[in-house]
Amino acid sequence: MDVKNKIVKAHDLSFQKYLSEEKIAERIAVLGKEIAAQYENKNPLFIAVLNGAFVFAADLMRACGDMACEVSFVKLSSYDGLASSGKVETILGLDTSIEGREIIVIEDIVDTGKTLFQFLQHLGKFNPASISLASLLVKPDAIQYHFPIAYVGFNIPNKFVVGYGLDYNGAGRNFAAIYQLIESTSSES
Ligand code: 5GP
């Protein structure tokens, strides 16, 4: 099979390879260097948004070299299957004080932006020194809530993706590459 066009299945849906493992790694290496240059000696606290960002967070942190830093995790929820429910809930909270800290929030993907927008407002209440955002993927055509994202891996079209931590109803997080949903044509449905 031509690996470039590799097709994978998650539950009932088929997905086509969109971003290779190598391409993702190359981009993260660049982002890591940028973060390391900006946060050297600032001991930033990464806040990784579970579940989707766990793979990206692990690679991004290590791409920052031996810079002093810490990591904490939060779990938010707004998605059910393929569509956002529009309601953002914090399921697992911060286990560390962020007052006076330099914060880098790590997200897997910004779609409408609602999840991060609400989370940023929540974080702001705890008086951090600064907050910046790192998102592996951004869907510019879907964004409804606008805020600066300092570190963007890739801008992608407004299509559902899985892999590299992102799931479809729990499946596909283990795929090393990122795959895009193959949408069925109307004649198939
Ligand atoms: P937003 O609040 O920006 O609309 O949605 C952000 C969250 O929705 C992400 O953290 C992610 O969990 C989920 N999400 C948005 N788009 C996709 C997608 O294409 N694939 C997957 N697997 N999750 C997505």
Side-chain angles (χ1 to χ4, degrees), residues 107 110-118 120 133 135 138 143-150:
E107 178 64 299
V110 175
D111 185 30
T112 65
K114 184 166 187 167
T115 309
L116 268 192
F117 184 77
Q118 295 195 358
L120 289 176
L133 302 175
S135 185
V138 175
I143 287 190
Q144 294 171 22
Y145 295 79
H146 297 273
F147 43 81
I149 305 173

Side-chain angles (χ1 to χ4, degrees), residues 79 107-109 111-115 139 160-161 166-167:
Y79 258 67
E107 178 64 299
D108 52 357
I109 183 165
D111 185 30
T112 65
K114 184 166 187 167
T115 309
K139 292 179 178 170
F160 193 79
V161 289
L166 290 118
D167 75 314

Side-chain angles (χ1 to χ4, degrees), residues 118-147:
Q118 295 195 358
F119 183 54
L120 289 176
Q121 288 186 324
H122 176 71
L123 283 183
K125 294 179 196 155
F126 300 98
N127 301 319
S130 70
I131 307 177
S132 66
L133 302 175
S135 185
L136 178 66
L137 305 172
V138 175
K139 292 179 178 170
D141 295 340
I143 287 190
Q144 294 171 22
Y145 295 79
H146 297 273
F147 43 81

Side-chain angles (χ1 to χ4, degrees), residues 17-119:
K17 195 165 192 175
Y18 180 66
L19 291 169
S20 69
E21 211 176 331
E22 295 75 23
K23 214 169 163 187
I24 296 168
E26 272 171 30
R27 184 68 191 130
I28 291 176
V30 172
L31 294 180
K33 287 201 178 91
E34 281 176 27
I35 292 173
Q38 254 159 315
Y39 285 89
E40 185 80 68
N41 302 321
K42 291 186 176 171
N43 191 26
L45 173 67
F46 290 102
I47 299 179
V49 181
L50 296 172
N51 292 329
F54 79 105
V55 180
F56 177 43
D59 285 347
L60 185 64
M61 282 188 71
R62 287 176 297 170
C64 294
D66 294 334
M67 165 186 91
C69 66
E70 293 167 34
V71 64
S72 188
F73 298 89
V74 291
K75 190 161 182 174
L76 315 171
S77 172
S78 72
Y79 258 67
D80 181 17
L82 297 180
S84 173
S85 67
K87 208 174 104 199
V88 178
E89 290 169 17
T90 307
I91 298 169
L92 183 78
L94 276 172
D95 58 359
T96 185
S97 167
I98 63 166
E99 191 169 345
R101 298 293 304 265
E102 311 272 353
I103 305 297
I104 305 169
V105 176
I106 306 181
E107 178 64 299
D108 52 357
I109 183 165
V110 175
D111 185 30
T112 65
K114 184 166 187 167
T115 309
L116 268 192
F117 184 77
Q118 295 195 358
F119 183 54

